[in-house]
Amino acid sequence: MIQSLKEALLNCQNPIITTHKSPDGDAIGSSVSWYHFLKKIGKKPIVVLPDQPAVFLLPFLENVEYFVFESDSSKIIEFSETSNLLFCLDYNGSGRVGATMESFVRDFSMQKVMIDHHPNPDSFCDIIISRTQICSTAQLIYDCIAEMDYLDLLDAEIGKGIYLGIMTDTGSFRFPSVDKNTHLILAKLIEIGVKHYEIHEAIYDVNTIDRLQLRGYAIAEKLEIHKDYPLGIISLSKEEQERFHCQKGDTEGLVNVILSIEGISVAVFFKEENEGVKLSFRSKGKYFVNEFASKYFGGGGHKYAAGGISSSNLTVTMNQFHSLVQELFQ
Ligand code: 5GP
Ligand code: MN
């Protein structure tokens, strides 16, 4: 597969890098590092995001030619007519780019390459580099560069995105998915000039008062601990979010706060949105959440971190969840 990737790269023109909807640190990190790597081998890539990322990820897109499909689809479609290669980074099925962009990815008629670490990849790509044991797509990007024998091209600009993706998908290097290679790669990134402390600051030290108060409110007023199971839940309605001027990314990490409570093994966060409710699941130990998210909430993800969507309102969605909850603990 790595040899096919290298051949595809050498023969490509105007490659397009895509990633999943509501792009997180790994989605942005792997896309920007791949973008800078493609530039370095003489290509003219663009990055296409289904929608805007959280504000704190925007600095990582400086010096990257990127477009947002929601607002720029005609320009992207025009560009795609000159392209013969589309990359799908950090997602395993065309549905993950969202309804507006899905047909663009699915119907792209030239070669498609998936580079991803989510379980159960769909077969919508011609080349599939799927390694589910790796902590982040960003680490897989590093491995691809290394295995294609391009490590001498690695520089701090490429490395910064790799560090961002690894850091955000591993809860800052603490999840079981972190392995020895993760740390060897991080060491290498620091060696080539990646300023690791700047990346931590850019992600974790950019709270607004509103974001902190929303988080405080959610924990103080909205946290429910299940009476029978080691389960913690937080839900936020649209009105509650509006009260704290909630921006994209402001509730990120809240679900992990629930999981950090002693004795809690499963955490669920319900966020009411315009089109329904977004669910975030986290777990640890013997409890897995991805199959549950996929079976009941049209989602998926990893064993310990998954998400889904419900088109019902918040109350109905929460009632539905409560009626199914015992399945999470079998
Ligand atoms: P988060 O809770 O941070 O939004 O997502 C956690 C994990 O679940 C991520 O690995 C993400 O890829 C996956 N995930 C989140 N939402 C969805 C979804 O709607 N569908 C699928 N298949 N996976 C999701
Ligand atoms: Mn990821």
Side-chain angles (χ1 to χ4, degrees):
M1 273 300 165
I2 289 293
Q3 205 44 46
S4 324
L5 173 65
K6 192 165 181 175
E7 274 164 33
L9 273 184
L10 293 173
N11 295 322
C12 80
Q13 270 170 9
N14 300 340
I16 301 175
I17 300 166
T18 65
T19 190
H20 59 80
K21 194 162 184 226
S22 302
D24 57 8
D26 192 28
I28 296 296
S30 46
S31 298
V32 305
S33 60
W34 197 237
Y35 172 89
H36 290 304
F37 169 70
L38 293 184
K39 294 273 279 194
K40 198 104 186 221
I41 59 168
K43 303 297 173 183
K44 285 202 180 72
I46 61 165
V47 171
V48 172
L49 308 175
D51 54 352
Q52 281 289 350
V55 184
F56 53 82
L57 291 171
L58 290 176
F60 295 90
L61 287 158
E62 266 169 33
N63 306 325
V64 172
E65 195 179 351
Y66 79 98
F67 300 89
V68 175
F69 199 87
E70 260 180 11
S71 47
D72 251 343
S73 62
S74 50
K75 235 185 266 169
I76 295 164
I77 291 165
E78 198 177 305
F79 183 94
S80 76
E81 277 150 20
T82 68
S83 163
N84 63 0
L85 187 59
L86 184 132
F87 289 100
C88 303
L89 302 189
D90 200 40
Y91 66 98
N92 59 357
S94 56
R96 291 287 288 126
V97 297
T100 317
M101 182 168 146
E102 181 171 8
S103 60
F104 172 74
V105 169
R106 215 187 31 222
D107 303 340
F108 182 80
S109 58
M110 308 301 271
Q111 208 170 25
K112 280 183 273 211
V113 177
M114 179 197 297
I115 304 179
D116 182 47
H117 69 136
H118 292 92
N120 312 316
D122 285 352
S123 53
F124 71 104
C125 289
D126 307 288
I127 298 174
I128 298 182
I129 299 180
S130 163
R131 297 191 193 161
T132 59
Q133 75 286 4
I134 295 191
C135 67
S136 55
T137 298
Q139 181 168 326
L140 183 50
I141 291 287
Y142 180 96
D143 287 345
C144 289
I145 293 174
E147 289 168 32
M148 290 188 298
D149 275 326
Y150 283 133
L151 222 42
D152 52 325
L153 297 182
L154 195 71
D155 59 20
E157 204 167 36
I158 300 170
K160 190 173 171 181
I162 297 177
Y163 193 98
L164 170 70
I166 296 177
M167 180 186 89
T168 50
D169 255 26
T170 60
S172 298
F173 325 117
R174 51 166 292 196
F175 294 155
S177 55
V178 170
D179 57 16
K180 187 182 109 181
N181 284 334
T182 313
H183 285 283
L184 291 171
I185 291 168
L186 297 170
K188 171 86 181 166
L189 296 179
I190 291 174
E191 188 179 72
I192 62 165
V194 172
K195 296 199 173 77
H196 54 99
Y197 50 92
E198 286 183 1
I199 300 171
H200 286 262
E201 277 175 27
I203 298 298
Y204 299 117
D205 297 346
V206 287
N207 276 316
T208 58
I209 304 285
D210 273 330
R211 186 189 303 161
L212 280 181
Q213 289 185 341
L214 174 64
R215 181 177 277 237
Y217 167 77
I219 297 166
E221 307 283 336
K222 300 301 310 284
L223 175 65
E224 299 164 43
I225 304 297
H226 199 279
K227 66 178 175 29
D228 300 320
Y229 300 114
L231 166 69
I233 293 171
I234 288 178
S235 66
L236 288 174
S237 68
K238 276 200 293 186
E239 294 78 62
E240 288 168 321
Q241 295 167 49
E242 278 156 21
R243 200 173 126 195
F244 296 95
H245 312 106
C246 184
Q247 305 286 312
K248 244 176 205 248
D250 277 359
T251 57
E252 215 159 286
L254 197 49
V255 67
N256 299 91
V257 174
I258 309 173
L259 197 67
S260 75
I261 301 167
E262 209 175 3
I264 292 296
S265 298
V266 179
V268 188
F269 173 53
F270 295 81
K271 186 178 184 188
E272 190 180 27
E273 296 190 335
N274 290 335
E275 322 75 51
V277 180
K278 168 89 179 76
L279 292 89
S280 282
F281 299 89
R282 297 292 185 274
S283 63
K284 56 188 174 195
K286 60 183 178 187
Y287 303 111
F288 303 147
V289 283
N290 54 346
E291 279 179 16
F292 184 87
S294 126
K295 190 166 164 194
Y296 296 113
F297 296 102
H302 308 278
K303 280 190 313 191
Y304 295 127
I309 297 161
S310 159
S311 52
S312 308
N313 70 28
L314 188 56
T315 313
V316 172
T317 305
M318 291 185 73
N319 286 342
Q320 185 196 0
F321 172 78
H322 278 292
S323 71
L324 299 164
V325 74
Q326 80 279 2
E327 261 195 51
L328 272 171
F329 295 93
Q330 269 161 11

